[in-house]
Amino acid sequence: MKKRLVSIALALLLLLAAAPGAYAMDLAPGTASEPTVYTCADVKCSPGDIAVISVTAQSPDGGALSYQWYRSLDGTNMSGTLIVNATGSNYYADTSSEGTNYYFCVVTNTGANGSSSVISSTIAVTVENNEPVIQGIGVLTLPTKTQYKEGDRLVTDGLSVRVYTDQGYYDVTGGLEVSPAVLGVAGTQTITVKYQGKSCTFTVQVEEDKEVVQSISISSLPAKTSYTVGDRLDTTGLSVRVVTNKQITDVSQGFTCSPMVFSSAGSQTVTVNFQGKSTSFTVQVAERSSPSPSPTASPSPSPSPTASASPSASPDSGASPSPTHTVTVHEPHETNAGSAFLQIVLMLALLGLVGIGAYVYTVQRRNRK
C-alpha cells in the first residue's frame, strides 16, 4: 500500500511538470507559492501589424507578481535571450520582417516567505504577407467629363477602377495616377491609369482649339508719315501687334490699309485691317504746288505772195492791154524742206566722188613707182 501511494504521488508530480502553460522552477524550502500562469494563443499577422502577446498569472498567497519576457532561441522555453524593458504581462512582438519567432515569460510571485518563479510555455508569432497579389486593373466607371478642348486639364471626377487579385477583386477611387494631365492633342486621346504597378486605359475626345484674333494695335509706325496729295501710302516699317486666344505676335504683312492714295490735304487717318479686326494711325498730307505757266509763242505770219503788176496801157496809145500772168506761190515750209534734202544728197555725192578720186590717184602713184 505504501509503494502504491508513492507511485501515485510520483505520477502526479510528472503530470504537473508536463502540463501545458508553465512549469515551476526548483524552489528552496520555505519559499513563496508558485503563481498560476496562462498564455495567450499563437499569433499570425502581416508585416508591420501590431502583435500583442500576453500571459495571465495569479498568486495563490497574494504575493506580488513580476514579469520578464524572453525570445526563444530554439522554439522552446528552455533557452532564450532576455528582452530589455519587457517587464509587463503584455508584450508587443516584432513584426518588421516575415517569419516565426517564439517568446516566453518568466512570472515571479514574491511574498513574505520569499519568491517563486514559473516559466510560461512558448508563444509563436508568425509574420507572413497575407496581402492579396494584384493581377490587373480595369476601368469600372469613366469620369463624368470625357469631352474637352485642346489645352484643357483632365478631370477625373467619377473615375473608379476595379482591382483584380489572387483572392478576388475590390474597387478603388483613390491612389490612382493618370496621364497626360493636360490634353494638348486634338482628336481621340488615350488616358493611362496606374495603380500599384498595374495600368489600364480609357479615351476622351479633344476638340481643336482654333486660334482666333481678339484684338490688334499698331506696334510700330511706317517709316514715312508725311505725304503730298496724290501720293501712295508706303507701309515700309509698319508693324501690327496681334493678340489671339493663344499668343501675342507682331506681324509686318498680311494686313490691308485704306486709303492707299491720298486725295486731300491735312491729317489723314489710315485704317489697318487684319482678320476682321482693325486699328488706325494718322499721316500728314500737304497740298501739291501748281507749276508756273509757260509763255505761249506767237505764230509767225505767212509771207504774202507777190504778184507782178501788169503794165498799164497808155490811154493815148492804141495798143491792146497785155495778158495777165498768174503767179503760183509755194508754201515756204515745203520748199525749204525739199531744198535742204537736195543739198544733203548733193553733198554726200560730192564727198563720195572726192573719196573715189583720192583713191584712184593713190593707186596710180603707187603703180608709177
Side-chain angles (χ1 to χ4, degrees), residues 31 44 69 159 203 226 245 253 256 288 291 303 328 358:
T31 58
K44 288 185 178 182
W69 286 92
L159 176 64
T203 60
S226 296
N245 57 329
Q253 57 185 358
T256 60
R288 184 175 293 278
T328 302

Side-chain angles (χ1 to χ4, degrees), residues 140-141 156 158-163 170-176 195:
L140 182 62
T141 59
T156 59
L159 176 64
S160 66
V161 168
R162 176 156 290 179
V163 182
Y170 58 93
D171 300 332
V172 296
T173 57
L176 304 175
Y195 179 76

Side-chain angles (χ1 to χ4, degrees), residues 37-339:
V37 178
Y38 302 92
T39 60
C40 67
D42 293 340
V43 176
K44 288 185 178 182
C45 64
S46 299
D49 287 351
I50 296 176
V52 181
I53 56 177
S54 63
V55 293
T56 302
Q58 296 177 351
S59 172
D61 57 6
L65 299 174
S66 59
Y67 307 87
Q68 177 61 57
W69 286 92
Y70 295 80
R71 185 193 302 272
S72 174
L73 299 178
D74 56 4
T76 70
N77 57 2
M78 301 301 295
S79 63
T81 57
L82 183 144
I83 303 174
V84 177
N85 295 326
T87 56
S89 60
N90 298 330
Y91 175 66
Y92 290 83
D94 181 17
T95 61
S96 60
S97 59
E98 295 184 24
T100 301
N101 291 308
Y102 297 90
Y103 302 88
F104 62 88
C105 183
V106 175
V107 182
T108 301
N109 178 35
T110 302
N113 296 326
S115 62
S116 177
S117 298
V118 172
I119 300 175
S120 72
S121 58
T122 57
I123 303 170
V125 178
T126 302
V127 180
E128 58 185 10
N129 190 358
N130 292 321
E131 293 293 327
V133 178
I134 297 176
Q135 297 174 333
I137 65 172
V139 175
L140 182 62
T141 59
L142 289 171
T144 54
K145 183 176 181 179
T146 57
Q147 302 288 331
Y148 295 88
K149 286 188 177 181
E150 190 177 0
D152 286 350
R153 296 189 68 85
L154 181 69
V155 178
T156 59
D157 295 346
L159 176 64
S160 66
V161 168
R162 176 156 290 179
V163 182
Y164 299 92
T165 73
D166 58 345
Q167 301 176 19
Y169 65 84
Y170 58 93
D171 300 332
V172 296
T173 57
L176 304 175
E177 297 179 9
V178 293
S179 62
V182 178
L183 306 172
V185 180
T188 300
Q189 184 110 14
T190 299
I191 308 300
T192 301
V193 184
K194 291 184 178 180
Y195 179 76
Q196 294 191 11
K198 302 296 180 180
S199 63
C200 61
T201 62
F202 65 93
T203 60
V204 296
Q205 297 299 318
V206 182
E207 180 183 351
E208 181 182 2
D209 188 15
K210 296 181 180 179
E211 188 171 13
V212 178
V213 176
Q214 296 175 334
S215 65
I216 65 171
S217 60
I218 301 299
S219 177
S220 61
L221 289 170
K224 183 177 180 180
T225 56
S226 296
Y227 295 87
T228 303
V229 172
D231 284 352
R232 188 175 182 84
L233 177 68
D234 185 357
T235 59
T236 302
L238 176 61
S239 179
V240 176
R241 178 153 296 170
V242 180
V243 179
T244 73
N245 57 329
K246 293 185 177 181
Q247 60 182 342
I248 300 175
T249 55
D250 291 341
V251 299
S252 57
Q253 57 185 358
F255 48 76
T256 60
C257 298
S258 64
M260 288 299 294
V261 177
F262 301 109
S263 59
S264 60
S267 179
Q268 299 286 323
T269 298
V270 178
T271 302
V272 183
N273 293 284
F274 183 81
Q275 295 188 11
K277 302 297 180 179
S278 63
T279 185
S280 63
F281 63 93
T282 58
V283 296
Q284 297 301 318
V285 183
E287 290 283 0
R288 184 175 293 278
S289 58
S290 301
S292 300
S294 303
T296 304
S298 301
S300 300
S302 301
S304 301
T306 304
S308 300
S310 299
S312 303
S314 175
D316 296 332
S317 67
S320 302
S322 299
T324 303
H325 297 281
T326 302
V327 178
T328 302
V329 180
H330 299 283
E331 290 297 327
H333 67 277
E334 293 180 358
T335 303
N336 293 339
S339 299

